[in-house]
């Protein structure tokens, strides 16, 4: 059985399913390998406009790194695993397409770190987010402390890291991490609703805005505003930019061609 199952939910929307429900979709080395190649395929396929990440089984998105692989002081393997996770997560954050993370149940450790690399988080009411590595005597290693700090600030981040507290869906919504909280049985519909909305954004514009959010977050405000205007001027000169304007004025749906 594949540990990662890619499928197209509707044309243009590729779901990548973590499929190891008996271990709450924990990120074993083979699973990470399959995850990376499914992401590569989705990122490279021009017909894929939106990527959805989800966990199988309903109980967890992903419960973190595979703790069984950590046992026994295999320091070189441990370091290799961490370096690889960091590389894959960083790359996930840079994919030039919107990535929706749909979380049913637990998103812990590496699972929450993956979510923090995505663009839109949809949570079921059962979702619980956490970085419990401190309970193992460790700390996150895939960028979790730093992305969480930047997403919610020091105090909300400290609660997860220093108290090992799991964040509820309601709290994630209040902190602005979750775009929406849906009942468990409404998740399929919530995902499709968001994915269809993403499909209406011109793909080049989406890619550029994603980059602006990422690069702007660590830049000074004047530099970031200049990045934004340069981007707009570039988009205005594209065929899709003109098509979007024409379509609005002609009261029709735009046909974006990524040019
Ligand atoms: N790595 C390896 N196996 C894991 C795992 C992980 N991160 N998370 C869960 N599993 C396994 C359990 O060992 C168990 O396997 P088993 O049935 O063969 O014993 C199975 O998944 C079900 O988990 P279980 O702990 O029985 O479910 P639960 O409902 O009692 O608890 C959690 C759920 C998520 C609270 C608990 O599994 C947990 O704390 N997981 C680890 C989370 C973590 O620390 N992540 C960061 C890792 S660095």
């Amino acid at each position: 059985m594949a540990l990662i199952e890619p499928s197209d939910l509707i044309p243009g929307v590729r779901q990548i399913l973590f499929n190891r429900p008996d271990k709450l979709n924990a990120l074993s080395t083979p699973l990470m390998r399959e995850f990376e190649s499914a992401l590569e395929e989705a990122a490279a396929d021009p017909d894929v406009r939106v990527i959805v990440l989800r966990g199988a089984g309903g109980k967890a998105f992903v419960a973190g790194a595979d703790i069984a692989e950590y046992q026994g002081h295999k320091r070189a393997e441990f370091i290799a695993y961490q370096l690889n996770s960091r590389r894959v997560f960083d790359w996930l954050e840079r994919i030039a397409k919107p990535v929706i993370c749909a979380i049913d149940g637990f998103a812990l450790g590496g699972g929450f770190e993956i979510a923090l690399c995505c663009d839109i988080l949809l949570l079921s009411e059962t979702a619980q987010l956490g970085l419990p590595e401190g309970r193992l005597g460790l700390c996150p290693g895939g960028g979790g402390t730093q992305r969480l700090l930047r997403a919610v600030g020091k105090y909300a981040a400290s609660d997860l890291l220093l108290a090992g507290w799991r964040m509820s869906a309601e709290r994630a919504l209040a902190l602005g991490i979750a775009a929406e909280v849906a009942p468990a049985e409404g998740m399929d519909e919530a995902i499709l609703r968001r994915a269809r909305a993403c499909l209406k954004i011109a793909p080049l514009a989406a890619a550029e805005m994603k980059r602006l959010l990422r690069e702007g977050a660590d830049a000074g405000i004047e530099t970031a505003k200049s990045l934004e205007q340069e981007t707009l001027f570039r988009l205005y000169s594209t065929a899709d930019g003109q098509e979007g304007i024409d379509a609005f004025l002609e009261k029709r749906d735009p046909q974006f061609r990524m040019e």
Side-chain angles (χ1 to χ4, degrees):
M1 195 177 60
L3 297 167
I4 294 288
E5 276 193 3
S7 63
D8 288 336
L9 295 179
I10 52 174
V13 179
R14 171 74 46 85
Q15 175 174 274
I16 295 175
L17 187 76
F18 293 91
N19 189 31
R20 202 189 170 206
D22 56 321
K23 297 288 180 189
L24 305 186
N25 306 316
L27 303 168
S28 62
T29 301
L31 183 145
M32 281 296 292
R33 214 174 293 126
E34 287 187 35
F35 177 47
E36 185 179 5
S37 59
L39 272 180
E40 264 168 11
E41 220 171 279
D45 185 341
D47 292 335
V48 173
R49 300 258 314 271
V50 180
I51 299 171
V52 174
L53 304 185
R54 199 172 184 188
K59 192 174 165 189
F61 168 61
V62 167
D66 188 332
I67 300 171
E69 287 189 11
Y70 281 7
Q71 209 170 24
H73 284 291
K74 294 171 281 192
R75 190 176 156 81
E77 288 100 314
F78 180 78
I79 290 173
Y81 176 89
Q82 298 300 330
L83 290 173
N84 183 59
S85 299
R86 177 175 168 182
R87 182 184 61 77
V88 175
F89 297 175
D90 286 353
W91 179 66
L92 165 63
E93 190 177 41
R94 283 162 189 272
I95 289 178
K97 301 178 182 188
V99 183
I100 295 173
C101 184
I103 301 180
D104 317 75
F106 298 110
L108 301 176
F112 189 26
E113 291 185 305
I114 287 175
L116 288 166
C117 297
C118 298
D119 303 305
I120 297 175
L121 272 56
L122 301 179
L123 271 54
S124 119
E125 286 167 350
T126 62
Q128 294 189 47
L129 316 177
L131 293 173
E133 286 88 341
R135 291 187 185 192
L136 301 173
L138 305 173
C139 74
T145 57
Q146 301 312 309
R147 289 194 177 94
L148 186 63
L149 172 66
R150 284 157 179 74
V152 300
K154 173 184 159 179
Y155 297 101
S158 298
D159 198 24
L160 270 68
L161 293 164
L162 306 183
W165 206 257
R166 289 191 210 128
M167 191 191 286
S168 65
E170 195 190 353
R171 173 111 171 109
L173 190 65
L175 285 170
I177 303 184
E180 180 179 344
V181 174
E185 63 280 7
M187 282 294 279
D188 291 351
E189 185 44 43
I191 292 167
L192 284 178
R193 201 164 47 236
R194 264 314 187 296
R196 285 197 184 98
C198 290
L199 287 174
K200 289 195 190 306
I201 303 292
L204 289 177
E208 292 288 6
M209 289 191 285
K210 192 168 164 165
R211 185 181 56 77
L212 282 176
L213 291 176
R214 194 180 61 244
E215 292 180 359
D218 287 326
I221 182 80
E222 291 305 323
T223 306
K225 285 190 294 184
S226 296
L227 279 177
E228 182 192 76
Q229 278 206 324
E230 287 157 17
T231 304
L232 172 62
F233 299 159
R234 209 164 46 246
L235 287 171
Y236 181 75
S237 303
T238 62
D240 282 356
Q242 292 305 308
E243 166 64 6
I245 295 165
D246 291 349
F248 177 81
L249 294 172
E250 291 162 16
K251 301 189 188 308
R252 61 175 174 81
D253 288 335
Q255 299 297 319
F256 296 124
R257 297 195 315 270
M258 291 189 77
E259 34 186 70

